[in-house]
Amino acid sequence: MTFMRERWARNDHEASRQLEGDLTEGSDIIVLGAGVVGITTAWELARRGHGVTVIDRQTEPATGASHANGAQISPSEAVPWASPSNLRLALAWMRQADGPFKLRLTADSRQWWWLLRFLASCREDVWRRNARRMVRLALASQRRLDEIVEEVRPEFDRERRGILRVYDSDAALREAEGIVDFMAPLGVGLRAVGPDEILDIEPALGAAIASGAVAGGLYAESDESGDAQAFTRALAHAAAGLGVRTVLGQQVERIDTHGDRFHSVVAGGVRHMADHLVICLGLDTPPLTRSLGFDLPIYPLKGYSATLRLAATNSAPRVSVTDETRRMVVSRLGDRIRVAGKADLVGHDARLDPRRAEQLVRDLRRIYPDLDHDGPPEFWAGLRPMTPTGVPIIGRSPVDRVYLNTGHGSLGWTMACGSAVLIADLLEGRNGELDPADYESGLPAD
């Protein structure tokens, strides 16, 4: 910390001089947020030769929404929640005590504002436009992940066996098959599979097929899974080797500007100066941007997970599965199995509801009745930073030298590496494979 104080405690004259130019090689950048989005952003910028400091109120990387998510890296499922079909399902689920969706209206005007924008995004044409944007980002992210893995060699229980979506009836499968034709032109291989092929892909689903819990599915062979927290911490270690400095356990108190430009960040009573700022704080982003004079349409949607340690004699699944009937995902993480799901729109309430969490384990038993584990499940609840459209907000903010990389919802793990490339290209004025305009729709108009 003493070194950090010396490194960043410049006088106002020097900071003003530096802010006169554009981003140059070796420029100093502060990244707020040490989740998977923040750390991949820091690594990408440091890899390009910039001096980077990461600041986060948590004491370790990936302790927020990246901590115990569903573990899927899923371009085939990188589509908005706001759709006509999901709106119909949500209305039905609200009448079910154990349904995948729960709504509790609050007095928070921002919840109502978000809901109205969500409803406006549930048109088919809007869904298709936003889905294309999300899939393109997810595919670019997966390609960048491959490159990072080749260079860094992080250990994160990666399983490259695809993702299998399963349905409990032929009618539900037929209704879902339209997504296959939508995904094909985007470069996502997705195909319908019957019970026999499902058994070939994942033998552990045999009991579910026999009981009728699984009637058919869709298989995305190029999707994958892995531990987002393990990856983030491994990449944070690699980033430190590139010179990235981390200031953890320090709450960001404010962002100061010099005229209409970014000047510095005050965290834990210490002022940190840099040329540019990138905010990757998920749900903690809107309070900071409101202090800068603009708001963002990001609101929490609570999800749950349960992680079980597998017994030594267990014949457990290896292919990641999305159970579309119960809207939950199941992923293998080495000697653990993780089940995640639920979508609770209940405000900023991160408390774990034991009944909702335990329902995940009961639903897991429906498709894997023979699953054997050691010890009790490790339950977790987290708040996803959702935009109404599902498209993350990546781009320049209304404040000069302040950039945003936030609002990835349940797809932060799927989109993190590509989002980092996009924000780095923007900072450097490069033209990349993604159109920045596609990810600036959540920003306020100038």
Side-chain angles (χ1 to χ4, degrees):
M1 181 62 72
T2 300
F3 177 79
M4 284 300 305
R5 290 174 188 267
E6 294 173 353
R7 175 69 178 79
W8 292 101
R10 304 169 180 150
N11 59 45
D12 286 352
H13 174 74
E14 183 182 355
S16 299
R17 178 180 58 78
Q18 289 183 335
L19 290 173
E20 290 172 0
D22 293 327
L23 184 69
T24 57
E25 183 177 353
S27 294
D28 290 322
I29 304 167
I30 293 175
V31 173
L32 298 184
V36 66
V37 174
I39 293 298
T40 51
T41 298
W43 186 87
E44 186 70 38
L45 289 166
R47 185 70 178 75
R48 299 184 185 201
H50 300 289
V52 181
T53 294
V54 175
I55 303 175
D56 198 295
R57 63 183 172 86
Q58 303 291 348
T59 57
E60 291 185 273
T63 54
S66 308
H67 176 70
N69 63 9
Q72 290 185 336
I73 302 165
S74 51
S76 76
E77 298 184 17
V79 296
W81 290 20
S83 69
S85 59
N86 279 344
L87 182 58
R88 291 191 298 270
L89 286 170
L91 294 173
W93 288 332
M94 286 168 60
R95 296 190 292 270
Q96 302 174 13
D98 60 350
F101 177 67
K102 177 180 178 181
L103 172 64
R104 184 176 71 227
L105 295 175
T106 71
D108 183 0
S109 61
R110 300 191 77 255
Q111 184 192 52
W112 292 84
W113 176 53
W114 188 93
L115 272 170
L116 289 173
R117 296 185 67 162
F118 178 87
L119 292 172
S121 300
C122 285
R123 301 199 324 263
E124 184 68 21
D125 60 327
V126 176
W127 181 89
R128 286 179 172 273
R129 181 187 68 215
N130 291 329
R132 292 187 189 99
R133 294 170 174 173
M134 294 170 69
V135 171
R136 283 194 290 265
L137 176 58
L139 288 171
S141 187
Q142 191 176 36
R143 289 191 291 271
R144 185 60 176 137
L145 173 64
D146 286 342
E147 294 168 351
I148 293 172
V149 170
E150 183 68 22
E151 179 174 346
V152 178
R153 304 289 182 180
E155 295 291 336
F156 59 102
D157 291 321
R158 191 183 195 189
E159 291 282 0
R160 307 190 71 182
R161 300 169 187 260
I163 292 178
L164 182 63
R165 304 189 208 181
V166 296
Y167 301 82
D168 65 353
S169 70
D170 292 335
L173 177 58
R174 284 194 299 271
E175 185 177 349
E177 283 179 348
I179 193 69
V180 174
D181 293 336
F182 176 81
M183 286 290 178
L186 297 174
V188 177
L190 191 63
R191 70 176 192 271
V193 290
D196 290 343
E197 190 169 1
I198 289 175
L199 273 176
D200 290 338
I201 295 168
E202 181 46 80
L205 286 169
I209 292 171
S211 70
V214 171
L218 299 175
Y219 182 51
E221 188 172 2
S222 61
D223 284 359
E224 55 186 291
S225 58
D227 189 329
Q229 184 183 67
F231 172 84
T232 304
R233 292 182 175 178
L235 194 62
H237 179 75
L242 296 176
V244 172
R245 301 174 178 87
T246 56
V247 180
L248 300 179
Q250 299 296 319
Q251 179 71 47
V252 174
E253 296 158 23
R254 67 178 187 273
I255 299 170
D256 288 338
T257 56
H258 215 245
D260 61 351
R261 285 179 169 181
F262 166 68
H263 177 265
S264 56
V265 171
V266 177
V270 177
R271 182 179 299 279
H272 305 272
M273 293 178 181
D275 303 312
H276 291 75
L277 173 70
V278 185
I279 306 177
C280 309
L281 282 172
L283 282 171
D284 290 335
T285 304
L288 284 177
T289 63
R290 288 197 293 272
S291 73
L292 294 173
F294 65 95
D295 205 353
L296 297 176
I298 297 174
Y299 202 75
L301 206 59
K302 181 159 64 173
Y304 296 84
S305 74
T307 305
L308 297 85
R309 185 74 58 180
L310 295 168
T313 58
N314 191 66
S315 178
R318 300 209 71 98
V319 176
S320 183
V321 167
T322 299
D323 185 330
E324 292 288 358
T325 304
R326 299 164 187 87
R327 290 298 172 97
M328 68 178 192
V329 304
V330 183
S331 296
R332 177 74 174 267
L333 299 172
D335 62 353
R336 299 167 295 154
I337 201 86
R338 178 170 295 159
V339 54
K342 306 299 184 185
D344 292 1
L345 190 64
V346 295
H348 291 264
D349 180 2
R351 293 174 297 179
L352 189 141
D353 181 338
R355 292 173 301 177
R356 302 283 281 167
E358 289 164 3
Q359 182 66 46
L360 286 174
V361 178
R362 290 193 292 271
D363 287 340
L364 177 68
R365 295 291 184 195
R366 293 180 184 178
I367 58 172
Y368 296 117
D370 300 326
L371 190 71
D372 191 17
H373 64 94
D374 287 332
E378 181 181 335
F379 292 119
W380 176 80
L383 300 179
R384 310 176 182 101
M386 300 291 297
T387 66
T389 63
V391 181
I393 300 170
I394 308 169
R396 300 175 181 87
S397 85
V399 177
D400 194 19
R401 312 294 174 90
V402 175
Y403 289 73
L404 301 165
N405 188 6
T406 188
H408 293 75
S410 60
L411 294 165
W413 184 203
T414 295
M415 296 178 169
C417 299
S419 299
V421 171
L422 177 56
I423 203 72
D425 285 345
L426 278 168
L427 276 157
E428 295 183 335
R430 297 186 183 186
N431 292 321
E433 64 174 298
L434 298 168
D435 184 353
D438 286 343
Y439 308 96
E440 294 177 342
S441 59
L443 289 167
D446 292 336

